[in-house]
Every structure is written in C-alpha cells, then in structure tokens.
C-alpha cells in the first residue's frame, strides 16, 4: 500500500541557533517521517519556533503559560488531514539532551506524535488511549529505523 500524499510547508522562525535545527530537519526526512505517520493524504505546516513564540501559542490556545515541545492545531481529518504542527526548538533541544537522544531522533518522535494528534489520536483521554498512541508511535518510529523513544 503506498504512503499517503503530503503537501508540506516547513517553516523556521528566526532564532539564535536555527542552523542547528535546520540541519536536524532536512525536508526530505521530515516528509518521510510524516508520511509514515499518516493514514490519509495531508496538508501540513511544520513550524519551528523559539521559546517566546512557543509560550505565547501554548498560553493563548491551551491556557498553559509555558513553552511546550509540540503543539498540534488540527483543522480537518477527512477527506484530507489538515493541521499545523508547531515545535519549540529550545524545548526540543533541552529534552533531547536530557533524554540522551539526538536532536534528529527527538524531532522525528515529536513530528510523528503531532501527526497522530492531527488524526484524532489523544493520549490525555485515558490510560488505554495513551498506551495505544504510544504503541503506534513506537511502531512507526521502529519502521523508520529509530529506537523506542520511551525506552529508559
């Protein structure tokens, strides 16, 4: 079965070490990771932001006044998945270092995570939903050649 089609807009805000994050996110790899996480054709915008923009978006749209690793703004799931995925570069970099992962590994995980949210997956609704979403992420990332992101 062929992978779903993806129209991707990959955007980088201007911030101190943006070159490091651009290097970890080649467009071809981002496209590959996302297509493996999709069950339907999609139109996605991926935006990499600094802490100020990440915090403002999380505060304004989720009522949580801190920068988080990934925000998913989903607009449609059918017939085409339409969503914006916003990743906060400093948070992603800090978490990758804390978890002993490469920046590339952590971005791949968070992009898969965000793409699943865009399709209606939710880990905050119940333990069973969280376990199902985690298992799906592990399966996708394993097929992409990445280790289990939840292994300690």
């Amino acid at each position: 079965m062929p992978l779903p089609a993806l129209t991707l807009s990959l955007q980088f805000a201007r911030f101190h070490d943006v070159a490091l994050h651009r290097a970890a996110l080649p467009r071809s790899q981002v496209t590959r990771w996302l297509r493996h996480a999709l069950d339907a054709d999609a139109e996605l915008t991926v935006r990499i932001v600094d802490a100020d923009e990440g915090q403002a978006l999380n505060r304004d749209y989720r009522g949580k006044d801190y920068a988080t690793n990934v925000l998913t703004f989903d607009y449609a799931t059918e017939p085409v998945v339409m969503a914006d995925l916003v990743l906060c570069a400093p948070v992603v970099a800090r978490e990758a270092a804390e978890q002993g992962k490469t920046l590339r590994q952590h971005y791949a995980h968070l992009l898969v995570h965000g793409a699943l949210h865009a399709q209606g997956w939710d880990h905050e609704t119940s333990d069973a939903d969280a376990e199902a979403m985690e298992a799906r992420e592990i399966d996708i990332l394993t097929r992409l050649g990445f280790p289990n992101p939840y292994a300690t």
Side-chain angles (χ1 to χ4, degrees), residues 40-111:
D41 294 347
E43 297 176 10
L44 301 177
T45 296
V46 172
R47 181 164 170 80
I48 311 303
V49 302
D50 64 8
D52 289 341
E53 186 174 344
Q55 181 174 354
L57 289 167
N58 201 27
R59 180 189 59 239
D60 294 349
Y61 291 95
R62 293 182 66 227
K64 298 182 179 186
D65 196 16
Y66 57 88
T68 191
N69 53 18
V70 61
L71 294 167
T72 301
F73 298 93
D74 54 329
Y75 308 114
T77 56
E78 41 183 66
V80 174
V81 176
M82 298 176 64
D84 296 335
L85 307 179
V86 180
L87 293 95
C88 184
V91 174
V92 175
R94 185 190 74 238
E95 288 178 349
E98 290 171 355
Q99 296 171 21
K101 299 176 185 176
T102 67
L103 192 56
R104 182 175 176 269
Q105 286 173 323
H106 200 39
Y107 268 123
H109 177 212
L110 293 174
L111 286 166

Side-chain angles (χ1 to χ4, degrees), residues 32-44:
R32 181 172 176 261
W33 301 337
L34 290 169
R35 288 184 69 205
H36 277 81
L38 293 167
D39 293 324
D41 294 347
E43 297 176 10
L44 301 177

Side-chain angles (χ1 to χ4, degrees), residues 20-42:
L20 174 73
H21 296 270
R22 279 185 188 276
L25 292 165
R27 181 181 185 79
S28 62
Q29 289 299 301
V30 171
T31 300
R32 181 172 176 261
W33 301 337
L34 290 169
R35 288 184 69 205
H36 277 81
L38 293 167
D39 293 324
D41 294 347

